[in-house]
Amino acid sequence: MELCVEIISDILEVLHNQRVGTTCEDISVITLSIFRTVIQTFIKKDKGDPLEAGIVSVMISIFRQMEACHYTEYIDSFTAKSDLFDFVIEILMVFSDLVAREVFPRDWNEMIMLQNSIILKAIRHISHTIRDKFSNPFEYQVWNNFFHGAIKFLTQKALQLENFTENKRKKIISRYKDMRRETGFEIRAMWFNLGQNKIRFVPGMIGPFLEMTLIPERDLRRATIPIFFDMMQCEFYSPKYYIPGYDNHRTNTVYGSIRGNFNEFEHEMITQLDALIEGGRGDEEYKNLFYEIMSQHCESHATMKEQGMRFVTVVTHLMEYLLEYRSIVQEENKENRMSCTVNLLEFYNEINRKEMYIRYLNKLCDLHLECQNYTEAAFALQLHTKLLKWSNDPLPQLLRNEKYPKCETHRSLKVQLYDDIINYFDKGKMWEASLSLCKELIHLHDSETYDYNALAELLQKQANVYDNIMKQMRPEPEYFRVGFYGKGFPAFVQNKVFVYRGKEYERLDEFSGRMQNVFPKAQLMTKLTPPGDEIMKSTNQYLQINKVDPLMELKPEFANRTIHHQILKYYKVNEVQRFSFSRPFRKKESDSENEFANLWVERTVLTTHQPFPGILRWFPVKLSDTFEITPLENAVETMELTNAKLKEANVAHKMDAHLSVNHLGMLLNGVVDAAVMGGIANYEKAFFSEDFAAANTSEKDQANLQKLKNLIAEQIPLLEVGIRIHKLKVHETLKPFHDRLEECFSRMKSAVETKYGIKSPEPEVISIPSVRRIQTLPAESSHSTKSLPDLKNVGIEPKQKQVNLRNATPNGTKNSTANRVQSVFVKPLAANASKTLKKSRETLTLRRTSTSSTTASQESVATTHQTVWYDGKPDPGQPIIELKEQLISQRPRRSECEKRLSRPMSGVFRSSTPPTTPGGASSQSLNSLDEDIPPPLPQKQNVVEASNSSPEIAAAASAAVISTLPRRTSSNTNALTRAKSKPLPPLPVKDKTPPAVPKKPNRLQSDNKPAN
């Protein structure tokens, strides 16, 4: 075969020589004899075959020397139409393979361009053959192959002149012209020769035609874009039920049942646009040209004008969003990618393209997961679940999710999505948002699927959610307003204002730095005044950043109820859509010495497009309202805010006894001892003067004056409750600080009540629904830290029953043993409890006889007997107090006496006879004490609780312990008595002479002394 290729190549080279003369008949002989054989040989050869390039060279050389007469002669040589059909299919297939295979190296530019010019010449001749031979009857495969082959030739990389240098581009155009333009004209001519068969290529050919029109060649675009309008007309006037092979045009005329829309065309057009523009095709010029040409055609068509213009507008907006998305998709800034992704998914949602909507939802979710924005990722997936139902209906292809290929029904996919969403909310610490999902799944498994295993897991998960809400600490995010001014920003943020949700612990300085890193060329504006046209129309970038406060919108079910502060903390910074910020200013016409009398505020309230948190950490502002607040109104607002903070702090401490008192102390100090701002005295000077009252005589001003006086009076009972709570919980080291608070409050209370009267606090401040908090040993002890007080009864007493705050106790009465709460399962003290305790102390003695060691041992005994012994059945007549803390399984500490009695003798004094105590008790008698086994030891209480117990309760516990021990034998008692009878050392003399050392007993003699 190699030899044949060389021979044919030599023949064709000779025939190409102009000195040979006319070669028309020679070329005819070659085409009729070996032309199709060469074509079929190339088709059968595999890619990369050594003879491939030679065969292609022979075939290209034959095509190059063929004229129109040779094409006509060769076509007429086919006697059977089926043979001609096969030949046309083969030659179109060869053209497609030549473009796809790249037989010659890429740097063989001259050879490649020569090949393309020869193929273009052949395409023109073949197109005439198709129009003449395969139009009637119509051969769909031939026409379809022609369109695909020609478009593949047109879009090949070797013909994209914009990728070449300017000199190379000019050289190619001067020799071969722009072959894309010529091929496009040929395709356009073939399309308009289809006649009634155009509908058979709608919507199948929309993608290839769109790819052709996206080529950046203006003449080509102008020539081929009108094909889309023709496709719209074909579908619009086509019958509702198209049946190939029948005269549908006649049926349409008789019955008049046309479709009247081009939904399939629109659907395919949007799908192909998304894929092609995201892949790098198209530009701003194409978008504008498409709108111009299609608008002209639609406006000139009376029937399709309305639907056509809507379609053109939709496609133009889509191209705008896709071009924005493509421009930033390669950037490192993922926030911009998220913004463009949201624009696209919202667009697809508006036009009801569910499959595209879900596609971009998944892209958005993946972006959030890369940035560890778990809350936003959960909200993105939640949008997908809204398209699903709680049914076992088969899942259509439009609603499928590539991440869950095994889900075949609506219910299975929705349950899987719910599980992932709940996990993401848990990672983002947004437990409140997952509660509704848990409840839905619980209802599903409890009432429909009866999957109790899944139900048990869900209930445990829901319990953990509630527990996390009440116990876990969460940082409260801050919100920031960001204005992007100037035309230097991307189009999707240009001259727009957004509200951003900050990251955990992110403050204004850190956020401003992050935004400047994203836009390094932007200038940071230092004032909150609205920018002028000079800045808005500038080509530079200007950032205006300031903190905004969320405006909490309380749920209706919380109205008129006392809600735990841990629950309300969530709604202060979450599920919010309105934000405000203030800009103080002063009016020149006012010349008051007091700054509060001239302190005006410009308040701006912003409403975002969606509430926070959501599918993004920022949303554009859709509504902005700015208004002025007078100095008097500002004072009223400030007092209302201060009273609200005091009330909230008091309620929080009443409902949570473990809450730290530091914040409350700072809040109280800022009100009662306002050394910097001057406190309410400034308001009195500014607004309660006769001059101010005379100058502000309107009903509104008078009402605000009275309201301000009432707020000042209402602040006193709130402060009083707060100071009571602070006194009960403050640490000993902060007692001077608390005394200072009481001193300042006393003066403030006297002055305010004299001027503005006495006000009573609101009911919820006085009486709060008690949270069950039972403490084991709440009584105070002089040797331990103060136990947590019971705050639910702390309030304002009637005037005649009030006592001095310095001398007040937690319950308003003096401390007494009778008022203390009893310990766990301990019976009340009997009348002879103190006697029993005294007797027990006399019985238990220490080996050492010094006064200091005796005192220490007695304290040790008292501490030891704070451990509670019980007999298993508490007295039913006494109230049982529950434990909140978990008991620790640990042996109680032994008394010093027990430790010393059980300590073995030193090895120096060991002898064959048993040793005796100094009082004469033998070790045998001491060991008999261990034979009296006490009742089983209970689980030890918390060490903190034991240290908080008082001496009275410790004594009661000791009495109860001793009363439960078995009676000792007489020998045991004698042994203890002899141990106690050791003489005490003499007291020191006043002349500072050290006391005489007592005589040391002879242990050897005492060891040999018989026991009594």
Side-chain angles (χ1 to χ4, degrees):
M1 182 177 290
E2 184 179 359
L3 181 61
C4 293
V5 170
E6 292 179 358
I7 294 174
I8 296 174
S9 298
D10 293 340
I11 294 174
L12 292 172
E13 184 178 356
V14 172
L15 292 176
H16 183 66
N17 194 341
Q18 296 180 356
R19 291 177 297 179
V20 178
T22 179
T23 58
C24 182
E25 294 183 1
D26 300 306
I27 298 299
S28 296
V29 173
I30 290 176
T31 55
L32 294 173
S33 58
I34 64 172
F35 182 49
R36 193 170 185 186
T37 303
V38 173
I39 292 175
Q40 292 177 347
T41 302
F42 172 75
I43 294 174
K44 293 178 182 179
K45 282 294 178 182
D46 296 330
K47 184 178 180 180
D49 192 282
L51 296 177
E52 183 183 31
I55 296 173
V56 171
S57 299
V58 170
M59 183 173 57
I60 291 299
S61 181
I62 295 174
F63 273 118
R64 183 182 185 185
Q65 299 186 50
M66 288 179 66
E67 301 293 339
C69 59
H70 297 119
Y71 280 101
T72 303
E73 182 183 10
Y74 188 77
I75 295 300
D76 293 340
S77 66
F78 290 98
T79 56
K81 194 172 182 178
S82 58
D83 293 338
L84 178 60
F85 175 88
D86 293 340
F87 168 73
V88 174
I89 294 295
E90 288 173 0
I91 202 168
L92 292 174
M93 186 184 302
V94 166
F95 293 159
S96 298
D97 289 345
L98 285 176
V99 172
R101 284 192 185 185
E102 297 183 353
V103 178
F104 304 108
R106 293 184 179 181
D107 55 351
W108 288 23
N109 188 64
E110 286 293 338
M111 184 64 191
I112 294 173
M113 296 306 295
L114 176 63
Q115 171 186 291
N116 287 331
S117 64
I118 294 171
I119 292 176
L120 175 59
K121 175 185 174 183
I123 286 177
R124 289 172 176 168
H125 290 292
I126 295 297
S127 65
H128 290 287
T129 302
I130 294 174
R131 284 198 299 265
D132 296 338
K133 302 294 184 178
F134 299 104
S135 295
N136 192 15
F138 183 78
E139 291 291 344
Y140 173 80
Q141 185 176 357
V142 174
W143 285 81
N144 187 63
N145 284 11
F146 172 82
F147 284 130
H148 281 89
I151 291 174
K152 185 177 291 186
F153 169 79
L154 181 148
T155 57
Q156 65 173 301
K157 190 175 181 179
L159 295 183
Q160 309 313 311
L161 302 181
E162 64 276 1
N163 297 331
F164 300 151
T165 62
E166 185 177 357
N167 291 333
K168 188 175 183 179
R169 190 186 313 120
K170 289 181 178 179
K171 184 178 180 180
I172 293 174
I173 292 177
S174 63
R175 180 175 299 182
Y176 301 105
K177 299 182 180 180
D178 192 343
M179 287 181 278
R180 299 174 300 176
R181 178 174 175 272
E182 303 300 323
T183 308
F185 288 165
E186 196 65 38
I187 293 172
R188 182 180 185 276
M190 287 290 287
W191 170 261
F192 285 105
N193 276 280
L194 280 171
Q196 296 296 325
N197 296 302
K198 294 177 184 177
I199 189 62
R200 304 183 67 174
F201 295 91
V202 180
M205 285 304 301
I206 292 177
F209 283 169
L210 185 60
E211 187 178 2
M212 174 181 64
T213 60
L214 288 171
I215 296 294
E217 210 288 321
R218 191 172 182 83
D219 292 337
L220 173 64
R221 288 175 172 178
R222 283 194 171 275
T224 53
I225 285 178
I227 296 176
F228 295 130
F229 181 77
D230 197 46
M231 287 182 166
M232 292 165 59
Q233 290 187 95
C234 292
E235 184 178 354
F236 187 88
Y237 288 109
S238 65
K240 290 184 179 180
Y241 307 101
Y242 180 79
I243 305 176
Y246 289 87
D247 191 355
N248 292 282
H249 178 66
R250 185 186 307 172
T251 305
N252 177 31
T253 304
V254 175
Y255 296 101
S257 56
I258 63 173
R259 292 190 182 184
N261 60 66
F262 40 85
N263 293 338
E264 292 185 9
F265 169 82
E266 181 178 356
H267 184 278
E268 185 66 16
M269 186 75 173
I270 290 174
T271 303
Q272 295 296 332
L273 265 177
D274 184 275
L276 290 172
I277 294 182
E278 186 180 356
R281 306 293 180 90
D283 50 28
E284 193 74 18
E285 181 185 0
Y286 179 81
K287 182 195 73 172
N288 298 332
L289 191 62
F290 181 89
Y291 182 81
E292 176 188 343
I293 296 174
M294 294 297 290
S295 297
Q296 292 176 358
H297 284 79
C298 292
E299 288 179 352
S300 61
H301 198 288
T303 307
M304 293 174 49
K305 179 178 180 179
E306 183 178 352
Q307 294 187 43
M309 289 305 301
R310 182 195 60 80
F311 164 76
V312 173
T313 303
V314 167
V315 171
T316 304
H317 287 164
L318 174 61
M319 285 191 281
E320 181 179 352
Y321 292 138
L322 288 171
L323 290 173
E324 288 178 357
Y325 178 79
R326 190 184 69 187
S327 64
I328 55 92
V329 72
Q330 302 299 333
E331 294 182 4
E332 294 182 0
N333 183 11
K334 295 181 180 180
E335 292 184 353
N336 288 342
R337 292 170 60 185
M338 293 178 189
S339 296
C340 293
T341 304
V342 170
N343 290 338
L344 280 169
L345 68 87
E346 287 180 349
F347 172 81
Y348 285 128
N349 187 39
E350 290 176 1
I351 64 174
N352 199 27
R353 289 297 304 273
K354 295 180 180 179
E355 76 284 1
M356 306 299 294
Y357 176 67
I358 294 173
R359 177 188 173 197
Y360 280 95
L361 276 178
N362 291 329
K363 287 186 177 183
L364 180 63
C365 180
D366 294 338
L367 284 174
H368 280 308
L369 292 178
E370 291 177 10
C371 300
Q372 296 183 352
N373 298 336
Y374 297 110
T375 299
E376 288 72 22
F379 278 112
L381 280 185
Q382 198 169 4
L383 293 178
H384 188 181
T385 62
K386 295 180 179 179
L387 304 176
L388 303 172
K389 300 179 293 185
W390 291 114
S391 66
N392 285 323
D393 297 341
L395 196 64
Q397 188 64 34
L398 297 178
L399 299 180
R400 288 185 176 272
N401 194 317
E402 297 177 355
K403 297 181 180 179
Y404 312 98
K406 296 182 180 180
C407 297
E408 300 291 339
T409 63
H410 278 257
R411 178 184 291 169
S412 61
L413 179 57
K414 194 166 186 176
V415 169
Q416 189 66 47
L417 288 173
Y418 268 38
D419 290 339
D420 289 347
I421 292 170
I422 292 173
N423 292 333
Y424 291 153
F425 276 138
D426 182 64
K427 290 182 179 180
K429 299 181 180 180
M430 293 293 295
W431 300 294
E432 289 84 352
S434 65
L435 280 177
S436 59
L437 306 182
C438 289
K439 292 176 182 178
E440 284 190 59
L441 290 176
I442 289 171
H443 175 75
L444 172 71
H445 295 309
D446 186 36
S447 304
E448 297 184 25
T449 63
Y450 298 100
D451 188 350
Y452 287 171
N453 290 326
L455 180 61
E457 295 179 3
L458 276 169
L459 290 174
Q460 292 177 359
K461 188 177 296 185
Q462 187 183 40
N464 292 333
V465 167
Y466 282 115
D467 190 63
N468 290 332
I469 290 174
M470 300 304 298
K471 296 181 180 179
Q472 293 292 332
M473 296 298 296
R474 290 179 283 185
E476 295 184 356
E478 292 189 355
Y479 291 89
F480 308 97
R481 170 187 171 272
V482 182
F484 299 90
Y485 299 115
K487 295 186 177 180
F489 287 108
F492 56 90
V493 298
Q494 193 177 110
N495 291 327
K496 296 179 181 179
V497 178
F498 292 79
V499 172
Y500 278 71
R501 178 183 172 97
K503 297 180 179 179
E504 291 185 357
Y505 305 106
E506 187 176 37
R507 297 299 177 255
L508 181 60
D509 293 339
E510 292 86 353
F511 178 79
S512 298
R514 180 160 64 92
M515 295 303 298
Q516 287 183 299
N517 290 334
V518 176
F519 302 100
K521 298 181 180 180
Q523 301 179 28
L524 193 62
M525 301 174 66
T526 57
K527 296 183 179 180
L528 291 179
T529 54
D533 293 340
E534 181 180 355
I535 293 179
M536 300 280 283
K537 296 180 181 179
S538 173
T539 57
N540 298 326
Q541 297 179 353
Y542 296 92
L543 282 174
Q544 191 179 65
I545 304 175
N546 63 285
K547 182 179 177 297
V548 293
D549 299 318
L551 301 179
M552 181 177 66
E553 297 180 3
L554 203 59
K555 285 189 173 184
E557 52 265 31
F558 290 169
N560 301 323
R561 296 186 180 183
T562 302
I563 308 299
H564 197 281
H565 72 96
Q566 190 72 7
I567 300 174
L568 293 179
K569 282 175 62 177
Y570 168 81
Y571 295 99
K572 288 182 180 179
V573 292
N574 296 291
E575 298 186 20
V576 290
Q577 195 172 0
R578 297 172 67 246
F579 305 85
S580 69
F581 68 95
S582 301
R583 184 178 68 88
F585 69 99
R586 304 185 187 279
K587 292 190 175 182
K588 295 181 180 180
E589 58 268 18
S590 179
D591 189 17
S592 176
E593 296 180 357
N594 192 318
E595 60 179 356
F596 289 93
N598 192 29
L599 185 60
W600 291 72
V601 172
E602 183 185 78
R603 178 73 48 79
T604 301
V605 178
L606 308 175
T607 304
T608 55
H609 186 264
Q610 294 183 26
F612 287 92
I615 59 175
L616 286 176
R617 296 190 69 90
W618 61 91
F619 289 115
V621 174
K622 69 176 183 179
L623 183 63
S624 178
D625 184 21
T626 303
F627 52 90
E628 291 183 355
I629 297 177
T630 64
L632 179 57
E633 292 173 341
N634 184 35
V636 172
E637 282 191 4
T638 305
M639 286 299 300
E640 288 178 337
L641 180 61
T642 304
N643 290 358
K645 289 181 178 179
L646 287 170
K647 177 181 175 181
E648 179 184 350
N650 292 340
V651 172
H653 279 274
K654 288 189 169 213
M655 301 189 73
D656 188 355
H658 297 276
L659 198 62
S660 174
V661 80
N662 295 335
H663 174 70
L664 178 62
M666 292 187 293
L667 185 60
L668 293 171
N669 185 62
V671 178
V672 301
D673 190 14
V676 179
M677 299 301 294
I680 62 175
N682 286 322
Y683 292 153
E684 293 175 340
K685 295 178 183 178
F687 307 115
F688 296 161
S689 64
E690 295 180 358
D691 295 339
F692 185 86
N696 300 270
T697 58
S698 63
E699 293 183 3
K700 182 179 180 181
D701 291 336
Q702 294 299 320
N704 283 330
L705 281 173
Q706 186 59 41
K707 186 176 183 180
L708 181 58
K709 294 178 181 179
N710 293 336
L711 289 170
I712 294 174
E714 291 171 1
Q715 195 176 75
I716 298 302
L718 295 173
L719 291 170
E720 190 165 359
V721 173
I723 290 177
R724 285 178 179 269
I725 296 174
H726 189 268
K727 180 178 182 180
L728 295 176
K729 301 178 69 174
V730 71
H731 194 268
E732 293 292 337
T733 57
L734 294 177
K735 279 294 185 181
F737 169 71
H738 180 79
D739 294 340
R740 171 66 178 170
L741 288 180
E742 289 188 346
E743 181 181 350
C744 295
F745 173 70
S746 179
R747 294 196 300 266
M748 178 181 178
K749 178 181 178 182
S750 177
V752 171
E753 289 184 349
T754 302
K755 295 178 182 179
Y756 311 113
I758 300 175
K759 294 286 185 178
S760 299
E762 298 180 11
E764 58 266 27
V765 179
I766 299 177
S767 177
I768 302 300
S770 59
V771 180
R772 196 172 190 183
R773 299 184 182 282
I774 308 300
Q775 300 168 7
T776 311
L777 296 171
E780 297 183 5
S781 174
S782 59
H783 302 287
S784 62
T785 59
K786 180 179 293 187
S787 61
L788 293 173
D790 184 9
L791 299 178
K792 67 180 181 179
N793 296 322
V794 177
I796 303 299
E797 298 181 358
K799 187 67 178 178
Q800 63 273 18
K801 294 185 179 181
Q802 290 185 5
V803 295
N804 189 351
L805 291 176
R806 292 180 178 271
N807 301 323
T809 60
N811 295 324
T813 59
K814 295 183 178 180
N815 291 331
S816 64
T817 307
N819 292 333
R820 292 190 174 93
V821 182
Q822 292 178 338
S823 182
V824 182
F825 298 132
V826 176
K827 297 179 181 180
L829 295 177
N832 57 351
S834 59
K835 297 180 180 180
T836 307
L837 179 60
K838 183 177 180 181
K839 183 177 179 181
S840 65
R841 288 181 176 175
E842 292 176 355
T843 305
L844 299 176
T845 59
L846 300 178
R847 187 167 184 173
R848 293 186 181 179
T849 58
S850 64
T851 306
S852 58
S853 62
T854 304
T855 306
S857 64
Q858 290 177 354
E859 292 177 359
S860 176
V861 171
T863 304
T864 304
H865 285 293
Q866 288 178 6
T867 304
V868 181
W869 292 58
Y870 58 93
D871 54 3
K873 292 184 179 181
D875 188 356
Q878 298 297 327
I880 298 177
I881 303 177
E882 297 179 0
L883 282 173
K884 177 185 172 184
E885 295 83 0
Q886 183 180 2
L887 294 177
I888 303 172
S889 179
Q890 188 176 353
R891 180 182 175 87
R893 298 176 181 176
R894 294 182 298 168
S895 66
E896 192 68 22
C897 176
E898 293 174 342
K899 292 179 182 178
R900 295 187 179 278
L901 292 177
S902 61
R903 185 175 298 168
M905 300 295 292
S906 175
V908 179
F909 302 103
R910 287 181 183 174
S911 62
S912 57
T913 59
T916 59
T917 61
S922 66
S923 61
Q924 203 169 18
S925 63
L926 292 175
N927 292 336
S928 64
L929 293 174
D930 296 333
E931 297 176 0
D932 299 329
I933 301 175
L937 291 175
Q939 292 178 334
K940 186 180 177 183
Q941 299 171 358
N942 196 323
V943 177
V944 177
E945 294 179 358
S947 64
N948 289 338
S949 62
S950 66
E952 292 84 351
I953 293 184
S958 301
V961 170
I962 296 172
S963 63
T964 56
L965 290 173
R967 285 192 187 216
R968 306 181 186 273
T969 61
S970 59
S971 61
N972 294 342
T973 306
N974 295 334
L976 291 176
T977 304
R978 284 192 294 272
K980 183 180 179 181
S981 62
K982 185 175 181 179
L984 294 174
L987 295 176
V989 186
K990 291 184 179 181
D991 57 0
K992 299 183 180 179
T993 303
V997 179
K999 185 178 180 180
K1000 186 175 182 180
N1002 191 342
R1003 293 185 179 274
L1004 295 177
Q1005 294 178 2
S1006 61
D1007 290 342
N1008 297 327
K1009 185 179 179 179
N1012 294 332

